[in-house]
Amino acid sequence: MIRELISVYLTKAGYEVKEAEDGESAKEAFLTYHPCLIILDLMLPKMSGEEFCTWVREQERNEVSIIMLSAKVRTADKINGLKLGADDYLTKPFDADELVAHVEAVLRRTGHFCQKLTYDGLCIKPRKGEVILYDNQVHLTKYEFNLLYFLMENPNIVLSREQLIDQLYPNADKTILDRTIDAHIKKLREKIEDNPATPVRIQTVRGMGYKFVQ
């Protein structure tokens, strides 16, 4: 299938690729992985590519780039695709190297809008100061935001309370207690964990500190 071939070529080119077989699973994948770029076949089952493109733009996710793939070669079809919100339009059949070149070109133009860390529906955007959990915006304090960003920058690494204090309070003119970090972690878990009492994302490593599990 063309989807599988595209995945193989883009993976070989060094990109992390997530696939969706139809419009509904594409929505689920979008909300889970928060991609920087979407390669969108207009002939999607369950939902047309045009409908999916419109849905993405309705999420106010203009930092996401979209390359449309279509067998429609008329200029009017290309113009319509670009008006719907596509950043590029590629007609079938196409060479795999040509697609990779289009991906590289689009990301050169738009990649600076897509600086984020994402895992399992949780997305943090340091430049915009935003955190999104699936399709909901999460409101964090400055310390909660910086704490989450530091943890997600260092996934699966145990960070001591001392390290976290140094990161959050680098110029503190008084002693910051360990329980201050514990309080930030508690509040953060309440906002990003399905069940804060049994956290999955931010776990406690007894006697050592905390880690963001990925």
Side-chain angles (χ1 to χ4, degrees):
M1 295 177 63
I2 186 171
R3 185 181 78 246
E4 295 169 349
L5 289 174
I6 289 172
S7 179
V8 168
Y9 278 106
L10 289 178
T11 300
K12 284 183 178 179
Y15 296 100
E16 181 181 354
V17 181
K18 304 295 181 182
E19 298 181 40
E21 62 186 15
D22 56 52
E24 292 303 320
S25 58
K27 279 187 176 182
E28 183 178 346
F30 179 85
L31 295 175
T32 300
Y33 301 112
H34 299 274
C36 287
L37 182 142
I38 298 169
I39 297 176
L40 178 61
D41 195 323
L42 296 186
M43 298 297 291
L44 281 177
K46 297 186 179 180
M47 171 187 288
S48 73
E50 289 91 345
E51 288 175 305
F52 180 75
C53 181
T54 300
W55 177 83
V56 168
R57 293 311 184 209
E58 287 174 349
Q59 309 310 301
E60 297 184 357
R61 308 289 175 83
N62 288 326
E63 73 270 19
V64 181
S65 302
I66 299 175
I67 298 178
M68 283 185 174
L69 304 181
S70 176
K72 299 176 182 178
V73 298
R74 294 188 311 159
T75 300
D77 294 318
K78 295 180 182 180
I79 292 173
N80 184 56
L82 295 172
K83 284 184 176 180
L84 284 173
D87 297 276
D88 201 355
Y89 190 104
L90 193 58
T91 56
K92 304 174 185 176
F94 53 83
D95 183 82
D97 290 334
E98 180 185 9
L99 175 61
V100 172
H102 277 258
V103 168
E104 291 173 347
V106 168
L107 288 177
R108 277 198 301 272
R109 296 198 306 268
T110 65
H112 60 285
F113 295 116
C114 192
Q115 297 186 10
K116 62 182 78 170
L117 295 173
T118 302
Y119 181 72
D120 193 25
L122 181 65
C123 176
I124 187 167
K125 304 176 183 179
R127 287 187 62 184
K128 300 182 74 174
E130 292 180 356
V131 175
I132 297 172
L133 184 58
Y134 295 105
D135 55 346
N136 296 311
Q137 188 157 347
V138 181
H139 299 284
L140 302 181
T141 67
K142 178 184 74 172
Y143 291 119
E144 290 165 358
F145 185 93
N146 291 339
L147 178 58
L148 178 61
Y149 184 50
F150 189 52
L151 288 166
M152 290 184 72
E153 272 192 314
N154 298 277
N156 304 316
I157 296 174
V158 179
L159 299 170
S160 69
R161 288 173 176 82
E162 290 77 14
Q163 287 175 295
L164 296 175
I165 288 172
D166 289 342
Q167 181 69 24
L168 267 62
Y169 302 94
N171 301 310
D173 55 2
K174 62 179 180 179
T175 301
I176 306 297
L177 301 177
D178 286 356
R179 64 172 174 264
T180 300
I181 295 298
D182 296 338
H184 288 321
I185 292 287
K186 182 176 183 292
K187 291 291 186 182
L188 190 53
R189 282 172 170 165
E190 290 172 353
K191 296 177 180 180
I192 68 169
E193 297 280 3
D194 292 333
N195 185 356
T198 55
V200 174
R201 300 177 189 277
I202 300 176
Q203 295 187 3
T204 302
V205 181
R206 190 177 298 276
M208 298 179 66
Y210 298 99
K211 68 176 178 179
F212 183 87
V213 179
Q214 185 168 306

Short mmCIF file of all heavy atoms in Angstrom, two decimals, residues 6-17 100 103-104 107:
data_model
loop_
_atom_site.label_atom_id
_atom_site.label_comp_id
_atom_site.label_asym_id
_atom_site.label_seq_id
_atom_site.Cartn_x
_atom_site.Cartn_y
_atom_site.Cartn_z
N ILE A 6 5.27 4.98 1.89
CA ILE A 6 5.63 6.32 2.38
C ILE A 6 6.29 6.21 3.75
O ILE A 6 7.31 6.86 4.02
CB ILE A 6 4.38 7.22 2.44
CG1 ILE A 6 3.93 7.58 1.02
CG2 ILE A 6 4.66 8.49 3.25
CD1 ILE A 6 2.61 8.31 0.97
N SER A 7 5.73 5.38 4.61
CA SER A 7 6.29 5.20 5.95
C SER A 7 7.71 4.68 5.89
O SER A 7 8.61 5.16 6.61
CB SER A 7 5.41 4.24 6.76
OG SER A 7 5.95 4.02 8.04
N VAL A 8 7.96 3.71 5.02
CA VAL A 8 9.30 3.13 4.88
C VAL A 8 10.30 4.19 4.43
O VAL A 8 11.38 4.33 5.00
CB VAL A 8 9.28 1.94 3.89
CG1 VAL A 8 10.70 1.53 3.51
CG2 VAL A 8 8.54 0.76 4.50
N TYR A 9 9.94 4.94 3.40
CA TYR A 9 10.88 5.93 2.84
C TYR A 9 11.15 7.07 3.82
O TYR A 9 12.30 7.52 3.96
CB TYR A 9 10.34 6.49 1.52
CG TYR A 9 10.64 5.59 0.34
CD1 TYR A 9 9.64 4.81 -0.24
CD2 TYR A 9 11.93 5.50 -0.18
CE1 TYR A 9 9.91 3.97 -1.31
CE2 TYR A 9 12.21 4.66 -1.26
CZ TYR A 9 11.20 3.89 -1.82
OH TYR A 9 11.48 3.07 -2.88
N LEU A 10 10.11 7.53 4.51
CA LEU A 10 10.33 8.63 5.46
C LEU A 10 11.11 8.16 6.68
O LEU A 10 11.92 8.91 7.23
CB LEU A 10 8.99 9.24 5.88
CG LEU A 10 8.27 10.04 4.80
CD1 LEU A 10 6.94 10.55 5.32
CD2 LEU A 10 9.12 11.21 4.31
N THR A 11 10.88 6.93 7.10
CA THR A 11 11.66 6.38 8.22
C THR A 11 13.13 6.28 7.84
O THR A 11 14.02 6.63 8.62
CB THR A 11 11.11 5.00 8.63
OG1 THR A 11 9.74 5.13 9.04
CG2 THR A 11 11.92 4.43 9.79
N LYS A 12 13.39 5.82 6.62
CA LYS A 12 14.78 5.74 6.13
C LYS A 12 15.41 7.13 6.06
O LYS A 12 16.63 7.27 6.25
CB LYS A 12 14.82 5.09 4.74
CG LYS A 12 14.62 3.58 4.75
CD LYS A 12 14.74 3.02 3.34
CE LYS A 12 14.59 1.50 3.33
NZ LYS A 12 14.69 0.95 1.94
N ALA A 13 14.59 8.14 5.81
CA ALA A 13 15.11 9.52 5.73
C ALA A 13 15.29 10.15 7.11
O ALA A 13 15.73 11.30 7.20
CB ALA A 13 14.16 10.38 4.89
N GLY A 14 14.97 9.40 8.16
CA GLY A 14 15.23 9.87 9.51
C GLY A 14 14.05 10.47 10.24
O GLY A 14 14.21 11.04 11.32
N TYR A 15 12.84 10.33 9.68
CA TYR A 15 11.66 10.89 10.31
C TYR A 15 10.94 9.84 11.16
O TYR A 15 10.94 8.66 10.82
CB TYR A 15 10.69 11.44 9.27
CG TYR A 15 11.25 12.60 8.48
CD1 TYR A 15 11.79 12.41 7.21
CD2 TYR A 15 11.27 13.88 9.02
CE1 TYR A 15 12.32 13.47 6.48
CE2 TYR A 15 11.80 14.95 8.30
CZ TYR A 15 12.32 14.74 7.04
OH TYR A 15 12.86 15.79 6.33
N GLU A 16 10.33 10.29 12.24
CA GLU A 16 9.48 9.41 13.04
C GLU A 16 8.09 9.44 12.42
O GLU A 16 7.50 10.51 12.27
CB GLU A 16 9.42 9.86 14.50
CG GLU A 16 8.57 8.97 15.38
CD GLU A 16 8.51 9.44 16.82
OE1 GLU A 16 9.23 10.41 17.17
OE2 GLU A 16 7.73 8.86 17.59
N VAL A 17 7.56 8.28 12.06
CA VAL A 17 6.32 8.21 11.30
C VAL A 17 5.24 7.46 12.08
O VAL A 17 5.50 6.40 12.65
CB VAL A 17 6.56 7.49 9.94
CG1 VAL A 17 5.26 7.44 9.13
CG2 VAL A 17 7.66 8.20 9.15
N VAL A 100 10.05 12.99 -0.27
CA VAL A 100 10.98 13.37 0.80
C VAL A 100 11.46 14.81 0.60
O VAL A 100 11.57 15.57 1.55
CB VAL A 100 12.17 12.39 0.86
CG1 VAL A 100 13.23 12.89 1.83
CG2 VAL A 100 11.70 10.99 1.27
N VAL A 103 8.76 17.12 1.72
CA VAL A 103 8.70 17.15 3.18
C VAL A 103 9.79 18.07 3.72
O VAL A 103 9.54 18.93 4.59
CB VAL A 103 8.85 15.73 3.77
CG1 VAL A 103 9.09 15.79 5.27
CG2 VAL A 103 7.61 14.90 3.46
N GLU A 104 11.00 17.92 3.22
CA GLU A 104 12.11 18.74 3.68
C GLU A 104 11.86 20.23 3.39
O GLU A 104 12.15 21.09 4.22
CB GLU A 104 13.41 18.28 3.01
CG GLU A 104 13.86 16.90 3.49
CD GLU A 104 15.04 16.37 2.69
OE1 GLU A 104 15.36 16.97 1.63
OE2 GLU A 104 15.63 15.36 3.11
N LEU A 107 9.13 21.63 5.77
CA LEU A 107 9.63 21.79 7.14
C LEU A 107 10.65 22.93 7.23
O LEU A 107 10.76 23.56 8.28
CB LEU A 107 10.23 20.48 7.64
CG LEU A 107 9.20 19.38 7.94
CD1 LEU A 107 9.91 18.11 8.36
CD2 LEU A 107 8.22 19.83 9.02
#
